[in-house]
């Protein structure tokens, strides 16, 4: 029996009310292509066409008009149930921690479903995942691998991804093949997740990896490394949005495009309604973030990758 997801009904209601996919996607804070895919999946699961659409307009079909009141009622009742459950449980705010990135609209997206307190202690991914596992936290946004989830008894939902670029002093370099880049590793435990990831990139693509000391992965020390390097240096996720000195340039890495994913993790045995609601509210689809294309690459142990023909680029299953 096919199961219709509540979020698909939310998408249906939003498109029906806006009669415009772009406005509905903005309202739902999801990418337009993902919204279109979810509506098509809902139509397939229900066995009816909900919308007539062409390049100029979107209109409800007869079936869509008939089903809209019931869909709207189900969404309203679900929201009321979640609100009532929170009142009855007297639940405390959920404790969420992160490494150095959070969904920019986290508060706006979670405020309707749960109280979320962002922990002020910014720590490495392995530390935050361990804090969730031991109950010190309810949720964390961090980088994890399949082995981490199994060892710590966690589950993960995709909430973000960075396509990594490289930094270079070379002028007029439009892009750089992954095999021609340099990756810097630092033995400081702060960079444990990055070191493992960079080694996987190196094995899979032929990129050169070198160990450095003195925290050369960020700031002026990183820029000096770039200036001395003959190869463009892959920028780690912590640097992706940092402004560059005028003599340096950030260029895309291709063949393949390498991605770093962010997971929202929670304990596998935590079945609280508010935890599930936050997870579903923040969850993103691979297609929204560009990590499902044939040119994309993720490590083989990334929980959000798809292996094999048509999967996520070339992979590496190193630990």
């Amino acid at each position: 029996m096919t199961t219709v997801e509540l979020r698909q009904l939310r998408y249906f209601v939003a498109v029906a009310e806006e009669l415009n996919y772009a406005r509905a996607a903005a309202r739902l804070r999801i990418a337009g292509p993902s919204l279109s895919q979810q509506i098509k999946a809902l139509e397939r699961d229900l066995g009816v066409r909900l919308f007539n659409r062409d390049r100029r307009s979107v209109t409800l079909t007869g079936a869509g008009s008939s089903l809209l009141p019931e869909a709207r009622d189900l969404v309203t009742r679900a929201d009321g149930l979640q609100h009532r459950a929170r009142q009855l449980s007297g639940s405390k705010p959920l404790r969420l921690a992160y490494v150095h990135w959070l969904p920019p609209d986290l508060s706006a997206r979670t405020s309707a479903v749960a109280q979320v307190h962002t922990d002020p202690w910014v720590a490495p991914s392995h530390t935050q995942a361990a804090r969730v596992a031991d109950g010190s936290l309810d949720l964390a946004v961090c980088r994890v691998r399949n082995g981490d989830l199994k060892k710590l008894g966690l589950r993960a939902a995709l909430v973000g991804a960075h396509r990594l670029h490289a930094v270079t002093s070379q002028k007029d370099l439009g892009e750089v093949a992954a095999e021609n880049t340099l990756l810097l590793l630092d033995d400081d435990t702060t960079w444990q997740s990055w070191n493992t990831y960079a080694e996987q990139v190196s094995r899979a693509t032929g990129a050169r990896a070198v160990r450095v000391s003195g925290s050369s992965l960020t700031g002026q020390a990183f820029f000096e490394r770039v200036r001395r390097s003959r190869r463009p240096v892959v920028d780690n996720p912590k640097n992706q949005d940092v402004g560059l000195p005028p003599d340096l340039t950030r260029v895309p890495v291709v063949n393949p495009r390498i991605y770093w994913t962010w997971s929202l993790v929670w304990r596998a045995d935590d079945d609280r309604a508010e935890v599930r609601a936050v997870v579903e509210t923040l969850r993103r689809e691979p297609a929204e973030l560009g990590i499902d294309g044939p040119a994309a690459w993720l490590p083989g142990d990334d929980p959000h990758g798809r292996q094999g023909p048509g999967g996520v680029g070339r992979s590496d299953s190193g630990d």
Side-chain angles (χ1 to χ4, degrees):
M1 177 178 178
T2 299
T3 300
V4 174
E5 296 184 15
L6 179 62
R7 65 172 174 164
Q8 291 177 321
L9 295 180
R10 291 187 192 278
Y11 295 168
F12 167 44
V13 171
V15 175
E17 292 177 348
E18 299 290 344
L19 291 179
N20 182 287
Y21 272 77
R23 288 198 301 268
R27 167 176 157 182
L28 294 164
R29 298 187 178 90
I30 65 172
S34 179
L35 175 59
S36 181
Q37 290 173 8
Q38 290 298 320
I39 292 297
K40 289 179 181 177
L42 178 60
E43 290 177 324
R44 183 176 62 250
D45 292 343
L46 292 175
V48 296
R49 189 174 181 84
L50 300 172
F51 297 101
N52 294 312
R53 43 193 179 267
D54 56 34
R55 293 184 178 181
R56 296 184 177 181
S57 64
V58 177
T59 59
L60 281 161
T61 63
S65 296
S66 297
L67 292 174
L68 178 58
E70 296 177 58
R72 186 182 282 126
D73 180 60
L74 285 171
V75 170
T76 300
R77 288 165 58 191
D79 289 342
L81 179 64
Q82 291 177 340
H83 179 71
R84 182 59 176 157
R86 291 198 301 273
Q87 289 180 323
L88 292 173
S89 67
S91 59
K92 297 180 180 178
L94 297 178
R95 300 157 297 171
L96 180 148
Y98 66 108
V99 180
H100 55 77
W101 179 88
L102 280 173
D105 53 356
L106 182 145
S107 296
R109 295 171 67 183
T110 61
S111 60
V113 299
Q115 299 180 63
V116 177
H117 170 73
T118 302
D119 190 272
W121 181 22
V122 177
S125 288
H126 63 280
T127 300
Q128 302 295 39
R131 293 176 69 201
V132 174
D134 69 20
S136 301
L137 296 169
D138 301 300
L139 301 153
V141 175
C142 56
R143 173 166 178 78
V144 290
R145 299 177 293 158
N146 286 323
D148 302 324
L149 300 176
K150 183 177 181 180
K151 179 175 67 175
L152 297 173
L154 301 177
R155 297 183 65 189
L158 177 68
V159 293
H162 280 124
R163 179 185 172 187
L164 300 191
H165 289 59
V167 179
T168 180
S169 58
Q170 300 176 41
K171 301 300 181 183
D172 303 321
L173 184 64
E175 59 186 28
V176 59
E179 65 180 354
N180 295 325
T181 63
L182 177 69
L183 296 131
L184 303 180
L185 292 74
D186 193 317
D187 286 328
D188 190 317
T189 57
T190 301
W191 296 98
Q192 178 176 310
S193 293
W194 167 255
N195 287 348
T196 299
Y197 173 86
E199 289 171 341
Q200 291 174 310
V201 172
S202 178
R203 289 196 295 267
T205 69
R208 184 184 176 196
V210 299
R211 293 194 174 271
V212 297
S213 59
S215 299
S216 297
L217 275 67
T218 59
Q220 291 303 316
F222 174 76
F223 298 146
E224 286 302 318
R225 285 276 177 179
V226 172
R227 293 184 180 105
R228 296 198 302 269
S229 174
R230 294 182 179 180
R231 294 183 174 215
V233 182
V234 176
D235 220 354
N236 65 73
K238 197 170 184 177
N239 280 347
Q240 289 297 303
D241 299 321
V242 174
L244 298 179
D247 61 319
L248 301 180
T249 304
R250 188 174 279 118
V251 296
V253 176
V254 296
N255 300 326
R257 300 175 181 180
I258 56 177
Y259 284 86
W260 170 282
T261 60
W262 292 109
S263 295
L264 178 66
V265 300
W266 71 101
R267 289 181 296 283
D269 60 357
D270 190 344
D271 60 356
R272 287 175 293 170
E274 58 266 38
V275 171
R276 294 198 304 272
V278 169
V279 170
E280 289 307 311
T281 297
L282 295 179
R283 186 192 299 272
R284 301 284 298 276
E285 297 295 330
E288 295 179 62
L289 302 174
I291 65 173
D292 66 336
W297 179 91
L298 291 176
D301 57 0
D302 191 292
H304 313 297
R306 292 185 293 111
Q307 307 309 314
V312 181
R314 290 178 285 174
S315 66
D316 175 87
S317 60
D319 44 52

